Amino acid sequence: ALPLPENATQACGHCLRHPPAWDTASSPLHYAWPLDRLIQRFKFNADLATGRVLGELLARFLAADPGPRPDCILPVPLHPARLRERGFNQALELARPVARRLGIALAPRLCRRIRHTDMQSRLDAKTRYRNLRGAFEVHVPVAGLDIAILDDVVTTSATMSALAEVLREAGCGRIRVWSLARAAA
């Protein structure tokens, strides 16, 4: 989901050389000021009203795509310990208005985070990938499904890669990555 020219017809050079585990990625916004402050306020200060507005922005962007819709939306799961600490899953809160507006099933229990990992925002790019090895588990049948993984921000894509890989191993058909923002890697 790195920015490409509007008339681009193929993936970026990196994805052409190293194809990701997912099929498509879409992010309407760049993770920069003032959006970065809004996302941080939502995520770390439990500002759920801001989260609803951000979710509606993402829903409006995704609704503009006339293509076929996925079977379900998988918000990136939090480990139970992190969920208790934060009190909510920011990806799930963003996914609610998207699912409602697009008429797509929300599937927060499709996968779970089985390993408590360090916060990705505190790690460098290389460490982020190692941090997530073996962190996710698919625990319902996904064979042949078209699934959209949704998160707030994609930075290095380590989280999306780890999740997409376990979905792919479980037989998932098409995998899309949806995020509110894309940070410069």
Side-chain angles (χ1 to χ4, degrees):
L2 285 172
L4 292 172
E6 273 189 50
N7 58 355
T9 58
Q10 53 181 305
C12 71
H14 179 79
C15 289
L16 289 172
R17 286 187 309 278
H18 309 284
W22 59 83
D23 299 292
T24 63
S26 301
S27 296
L29 302 167
H30 299 281
Y31 188 68
W33 190 89
L35 180 66
D36 58 345
R37 300 296 184 257
L38 288 173
I39 291 174
Q40 289 167 16
R41 191 167 83 191
F42 160 52
K43 192 170 174 174
F44 301 116
N45 294 36
D47 186 345
L48 297 179
T50 296
R52 280 190 296 279
V53 171
L54 295 173
E56 287 296 333
L57 282 170
L58 179 57
R60 193 173 314 156
F61 168 77
L62 295 168
D65 182 352
R69 304 280 189 231
D71 296 313
C72 62
I73 299 171
L74 168 63
V76 171
L78 289 180
H79 188 272
R82 179 77 32 81
L83 184 59
R84 279 190 301 277
E85 176 185 304
R86 190 170 292 159
F88 68 100
N89 178 340
Q90 75 280 356
L92 176 58
E93 296 306 317
L94 288 172
R96 289 182 201 283
V98 172
R100 192 171 36 255
R101 181 164 185 161
L102 275 59
I104 302 170
L106 196 51
R109 291 181 178 87
L110 191 139
C111 285
R112 61 185 179 163
R113 201 172 199 134
I114 56 173
R115 235 177 24 81
H116 188 56
T117 57
D118 293 331
M119 287 183 70
Q120 292 290 93
S121 59
R122 297 181 181 157
L123 305 174
D124 63 42
K126 193 174 185 179
T127 308
R128 288 178 184 217
Y129 284 91
R130 276 196 314 262
N131 187 47
L132 290 167
R133 277 194 206 123
F136 297 105
E137 173 182 83
V138 176
H139 64 168
V140 299
V142 297
L145 289 180
D146 180 337
I147 296 174
I149 305 169
L150 191 144
D151 205 2
D152 56 346
V153 179
V154 172
T155 306
T156 61
S157 72
T159 301
M160 295 302 194
S161 292
L163 203 42
E165 286 168 10
V166 298
L167 287 169
R168 198 60 84 196
E169 288 169 12
C172 186
R174 180 175 165 92
I175 300 171
R176 307 165 194 228
V177 167
W178 289 350
S179 64
L180 177 64
R182 179 62 162 100

